[in-house]
Amino acid sequence: MSTTVQPQETASADGYVRLPLAFFCSPHRPRLNIYQRVSVESKPVLLASRNSGLSDSQVVDLQKRGQKSALVLRSEMEAVSEEMLESLECIVADDSIPAEGRFLVLQSVIGLEITRTLRSKDSSRFVAVSQDVGGMIANLVTRQHVSPQKLFDVAAHDTATFVHITNVAAYAVLLAEQLGISDKHERQQIAVGAMLHDIGKRSIPKSILQKVGKLDAAEREVIESHPKLGYVELCKDPNISHGQLMMVYQHHEWINGGGYPVGVLADEIHPWAKLLAVVDVFDALTANRPYRESIGRLEAIEILATGTGTQFDTQVLKCWISIF
Amino acid sequence: MLDFNLLATAPDRLWDAATVVATVPEAETTASSARLTQSEDPRKHRRIPLEGRAILVHENQIIGVYTCNLSAAGVGFFCPFQLFPATETQLIIDGIDLMKITVETCRRLSKNCYKCGAIFSERSKSPGELRDIFSRLRKSTDEGDK
């Protein structure tokens, strides 16, 4: 049994970014032209100009028609990204926007910043962004009790790196909470660790990362080096905890020793890495790929379940499944 | 060329004082002693099998490890526990200078046995230095044969 994930307009889809309707009514909204798609295949049409914004009657009308979001041009959003970044904390704290909608705004706003800082040779800026955003995600997901289903539905499911790491951070916090991790600081650390988990991929050639066909042995060896590269990049950073380092280094370890880079058994895998392993694969399975149909969350869970007791910690996986 | 065996030995007093010693699976000792030809070893620095014992000084503890190979760039050995990348540590082999090494790779083989690869922390050995190490380790073998 599987659910169908509706194709979502994301920053990388067709030049538009989808944002929740409530955001356009908030005091923190930037001045942007607002568009709407009449049908799935149609080109978006202008709904309100940046000068006028959405009127109350337009909002009511859209809500009556079941619309929960509208579009803005990516290029226009990029032009005001600094302004949006500055007000991001206020947006995340704005209760007039549903929590999952705020996650969508956060994901869209920080996408550009993440992409930019990830490209930088010096990783310190990306680490700093991750600390900020990870904290915001942890607060948003736990304080507002975001429903996992709603979070899944609203989160983008494309292959952009920023989409993957922000989804994984949000899922990791959800799972941590479900596992009984009640300490706010610990959940924030987990969110930040999740944001950083693939930092080692910065050094992997795109030709290998984005290869559609099967990887040969040499390519596999290169890609399997990313946990170690990430660990080495972060291990001397005093702001990164041991648990976060282990999330980076051990998220591809299997509890039966079949993983990489070391092949350690369950008792040597950090609990945060066990948690991350589940949500990392879950998000990878549910992401749209150019070479396969997207997989719904229930189908993804069925696939995850085949790795219980071998790839994944049984209790952690059970807990993740119970969320849905 | 390089048709000789190298044997590492650890100072007895240190080996006896080791808090923990690696246990190497038999299959692995056979595999590790297989000599790769230049064309078989894709690495820039050819690895020469180096069997024997060494002492790892790690976090002020004396650890018994078994060596498996040596090159101008670094050394491979079996450690009783996991070592993380970028860990700086020291290796003691009888008859040669203390080796300051930095861990590059680690792979679990079995309980009490992790195969580690480390590079020399300061710089790679020059051909002359490597020849000197080889001759000392070969000499140890000859002495061991007596």
Side-chain angles (χ1 to χ4, degrees):
Chain A
M1 173 100 179
S2 67
T3 55
T4 307
V5 176
Q6 290 300 316
Q8 306 210 33
E9 291 116 346
T10 68
S12 58
D14 57 358
Y16 291 87
V17 178
R18 185 171 58 96
L19 294 170
L21 208 51
F23 173 63
F24 296 107
C25 308
S26 88
H28 312 292
R29 66 185 184 277
R31 286 157 57 86
L32 292 167
N33 290 321
I34 304 166
Y35 299 82
Q36 187 194 16
R37 219 183 276 266
V38 181
S39 69
V40 177
E41 276 137 27
S42 68
K43 198 173 181 319
V45 293
L46 187 67
L47 192 62
S49 75
R50 66 169 64 86
N51 295 324
S52 63
L54 280 179
S55 65
D56 291 346
S57 60
Q58 276 179 307
V59 173
V60 171
D61 183 46
L62 287 166
Q63 283 171 336
K64 273 184 188 166
R65 287 190 276 132
Q67 291 285 330
K68 289 180 180 166
S69 59
L71 302 169
V72 297
L73 268 170
R74 182 174 64 169
S75 55
E76 287 184 5
M77 192 166 150
E78 285 176 3
V80 294
S81 65
E82 286 291 324
E83 181 196 330
M84 289 186 76
L85 271 172
E86 277 173 25
S87 56
L88 191 55
E89 234 168 307
C90 297
I91 296 169
V92 169
D94 185 346
D95 289 335
S96 69
I97 309 169
E100 60 276 9
R102 276 176 272 166
F103 176 73
L104 181 60
V105 175
L106 183 147
Q107 192 170 48
S108 308
V109 172
I110 49 101
L112 187 68
E113 184 70 356
I114 286 178
T115 308
R116 188 163 45 209
T117 53
L118 260 175
R119 280 194 204 121
S120 164
K121 198 175 174 188
D122 176 12
S123 64
S124 60
R125 182 78 190 113
F126 173 66
V127 173
V129 169
S130 298
Q131 303 268 17
D132 290 345
V133 174
M136 281 189 244
I137 289 176
N139 284 339
L140 183 60
V141 170
T142 53
R143 270 196 208 151
Q144 307 297 325
H145 303 293
V146 176
S147 138
Q149 288 86 349
K150 280 187 180 170
L151 180 64
F152 178 82
D153 290 343
V154 82
H157 296 288
D158 65 28
T159 51
T161 304
F162 79 86
V163 168
H164 175 61
I165 61 180
T166 46
N167 282 354
V168 166
Y171 294 151
V173 173
L174 273 177
L175 181 51
E177 194 176 32
Q178 192 72 9
L179 284 164
I181 297 174
S182 56
D183 182 68
K184 177 187 156 192
H185 179 65
E186 194 175 344
R187 286 193 306 250
Q188 283 185 347
Q189 288 224 349
I190 289 170
V192 175
M195 291 279 298
L196 296 171
H197 79 280
D198 271 343
I199 194 171
K201 284 189 178 171
R202 283 159 33 99
S203 314
I204 308 287
K206 272 190 179 170
S207 58
I208 296 178
L209 281 178
Q210 295 171 352
K211 186 173 174 181
V212 173
K214 199 178 175 187
L215 298 173
D216 64 31
E219 290 167 335
R220 185 162 289 282
E221 192 176 330
V222 171
I223 210 154
E224 290 185 358
S225 68
H226 81 267
K228 179 199 140 187
L229 294 171
Y231 177 91
V232 171
E233 189 153 3
L234 297 175
C235 69
K236 297 214 163 59
D237 188 329
N239 299 314
I240 306 296
S241 69
H242 174 72
Q244 289 171 323
L245 272 179
M246 290 302 101
M247 290 174 85
V248 173
Y249 191 52
Q250 296 187 321
H251 67 277
H252 284 293
E253 296 287 3
W254 288 25
I255 63 153
N256 69 354
Y260 63 88
V262 181
V264 284
L265 297 174
D267 59 347
E268 284 191 275
I269 305 175
H270 194 281
W272 295 359
K274 289 177 183 170
L275 175 163
L276 177 61
V278 171
V279 294
D280 182 34
V281 175
F282 178 79
D283 189 63
L285 287 171
T286 51
N288 290 311
R289 302 281 178 190
Y291 49 90
R292 66 155 163 78
E293 296 276 315
S294 61
I295 293 172
R297 60 186 160 86
L298 296 180
E299 196 179 342
I301 282 170
E302 280 176 15
I303 295 171
L304 286 179
T306 63
T308 186
T310 51
Q311 183 172 357
F312 305 113
D313 181 280
T314 305
Q315 292 308 315
V316 174
L317 184 58
K318 255 188 192 172
C319 194
W320 181 242
I321 291 171
S322 75
I323 288 180
F324 292 99
Chain B
M1 191 185 171
L2 294 172
D3 187 20
F4 50 79
N5 291 315
L6 301 178
L7 181 70
T9 53
D12 286 342
R13 62 185 173 81
L14 291 179
W15 189 262
D16 293 341
T19 49
V20 58
V21 174
T23 311
V24 185
E26 198 175 333
E28 195 57 38
T29 54
T30 316
S32 296
S33 64
R35 189 186 297 271
L36 296 174
T37 64
Q38 190 86 51
S39 58
E40 286 170 334
D41 194 344
R43 294 177 184 228
K44 186 178 167 192
H45 299 288
R46 186 179 168 193
R47 287 167 294 172
I48 306 299
L50 171 63
E51 291 176 53
R53 294 172 170 183
I55 294 295
L56 188 78
V57 183
H58 179 67
E59 294 176 348
N60 296 323
Q61 298 239 344
I62 296 171
I63 314 297
V65 301
Y66 289 93
T67 55
C68 58
N69 57 50
L70 181 74
S71 75
V75 59
F77 58 93
F78 299 103
C79 184
F81 49 78
Q82 179 181 195
L83 290 174
F84 289 102
T87 301
E88 293 182 350
T89 185
Q90 297 172 330
L91 201 67
I92 298 171
I93 296 176
D94 239 357
I96 57 175
D97 293 340
L98 179 94
M99 293 175 174
K100 289 183 179 172
I101 55 173
T102 304
V103 176
E104 279 280 300
T105 59
C106 179
R107 183 82 196 160
R108 183 186 185 278
L109 297 181
S110 62
K111 190 186 175 191
N112 238 23
C113 186
Y114 293 79
K115 191 173 186 177
C116 300
I119 56 167
F120 298 120
S121 300
E122 285 153 357
R123 57 175 175 80
S124 295
K125 303 290 180 195
S126 68
E129 288 170 322
L130 200 60
R131 266 198 304 274
D132 183 49
I133 291 173
F134 285 169
S135 72
R136 286 167 191 249
L137 295 177
R138 189 165 41 169
K139 195 178 165 192
S140 302
T141 313
D142 295 342
E143 280 172 357
D145 290 344
K146 281 176 190 172

